[in-house]
């Protein structure tokens, strides 16, 4: 899986000749989500895999920087890469614990509301982190517990429907949709 991910990133980099930056970021996001959905806890507990993710994330960013013929850090603050597309960024997902530069934090102090959107992914003032993809994924254990609960609810609803001599409708299952395994 590690080699397959590395090869996928190489393929993205090699085939990204005149591709738009958004497409490159989208391909990175797809590869990263594909890896993370299966190897959640393994990624966090394997130093080599974390290093590979950080290295490949930097390669993708470097490819985008080279596309603009510059690698000067001041021209590419993290907001360019990680900000949602709706706000003018590339919408890249991150698995590297990248610190938000102090120079970018001055904008969060100009408002009374403060940082709201990424509160769960931010730490204290000394070292604020860009939100990490893993923070938004449930561990496998909780997925399986949730799955057992959903299937038990389904069995009860089905038994109840059979007792009333009727079929289950989509509305009956609406609250269980997209939960449990398999989906």
């Amino acid at each position: 899986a590690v080699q397959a991910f590395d090869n996928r990133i190489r393929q993205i980099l090699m085939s990204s000749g005149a591709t738009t930056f958004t497409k490159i970021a989208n391909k990175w996001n797809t590869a990263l989500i594909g890896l993370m959905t299966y190897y959640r806890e393994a990624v966090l507990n394997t130093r080599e895999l974390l290093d590979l993710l950080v290295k490949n994330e930097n390669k993708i960013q470097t490819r985008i920087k080279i596309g603009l013929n510059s690698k000067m850090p001041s021209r590419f603050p993290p907001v360019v890469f990680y900000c949602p597309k709706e706000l003018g960024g590339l919408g890249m997902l991150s698995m590297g614990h990248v610190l938000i530069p102090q120079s970018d934090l001055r904008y969060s102090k100009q408002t009374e509301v403060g940082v709201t959107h990424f509160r769960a992914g931010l730490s204290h003032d000394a070292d604020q982190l860009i939100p990490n993809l893993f923070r938004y994924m449930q561990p496998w254990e909780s997925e399986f517990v949730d799955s057992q609960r959903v299937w038990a609810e389904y069995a009860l609803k089905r038994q109840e429907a059979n007792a009333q001599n009727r079929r289950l409708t989509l509305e009956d299952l609406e609250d269980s949709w997209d939960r449990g395994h398999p989906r």
Side-chain angles (χ1 to χ4, degrees):
V2 175
Q3 192 62 45
F5 178 76
D6 199 31
N7 288 340
R8 175 65 184 131
I9 299 305
R10 279 193 199 144
Q11 181 186 14
I12 291 169
L13 294 170
M14 295 296 283
S15 65
S16 64
T19 310
T20 63
F21 303 140
T22 307
K23 279 187 181 178
I24 296 171
N26 285 344
K27 288 179 181 180
W28 160 258
N29 290 348
T30 303
L32 184 63
I33 289 171
L35 180 78
M36 287 302 296
T37 50
Y38 288 106
Y39 302 103
R40 301 168 192 194
E41 286 91 359
V43 169
L44 290 185
N45 297 318
T46 310
R47 189 94 207 126
E48 297 80 21
L49 192 50
L50 273 175
D51 291 343
L52 181 78
L53 284 170
V54 171
K55 184 181 81 170
N56 283 325
E57 191 172 330
N58 287 333
K59 281 183 183 179
I60 294 287
Q61 289 181 4
T62 301
R63 171 63 190 88
I64 292 169
K65 292 174 186 177
I66 289 170
L68 290 173
N69 222 4
S70 171
K71 285 170 64 177
M72 189 183 300
S74 62
R75 291 186 182 162
F76 299 99
V79 70
V80 170
F81 298 106
Y82 302 113
C83 186
K85 292 176 192 152
E86 298 81 18
L87 300 176
L90 290 174
M92 268 182 78
L93 298 174
S94 176
M95 262 313 289
H97 299 281
V98 186
L99 291 174
I100 297 174
Q102 199 61 41
S103 60
D104 288 353
L105 293 177
R106 69 174 177 263
Y107 300 110
S108 70
K109 291 176 179 52
Q110 290 178 357
T111 174
E112 291 177 20
V113 177
V115 180
T116 57
H117 186 63
F118 288 138
R119 184 175 305 266
L122 295 174
S123 60
H124 55 83
D125 279 352
D127 53 312
Q128 289 186 307
L129 296 173
I130 289 171
N132 187 305
L133 179 60
F134 189 76
R135 291 190 173 112
Y136 304 100
M137 301 180 105
Q138 287 184 344
W140 278 118
E141 186 178 359
S142 64
E143 286 262 358
F144 291 135
V145 167
D146 194 34
S147 181
Q148 287 173 338
R149 184 187 57 75
V150 167
W151 283 105
E153 283 177 15
Y154 170 76
L156 283 173
K157 287 178 184 177
R158 187 168 176 195
Q159 193 176 28
E160 187 180 300
N162 284 343
Q164 296 173 1
N165 201 18
R166 67 178 179 90
R167 289 184 178 176
L168 281 177
T169 63
L170 195 57
E171 287 79 29
D172 293 335
L173 301 174
E174 220 167 26
D175 58 333
S176 302
W177 212 253
D178 272 342
R179 306 190 83 149
H181 292 287
R183 291 193 172 126

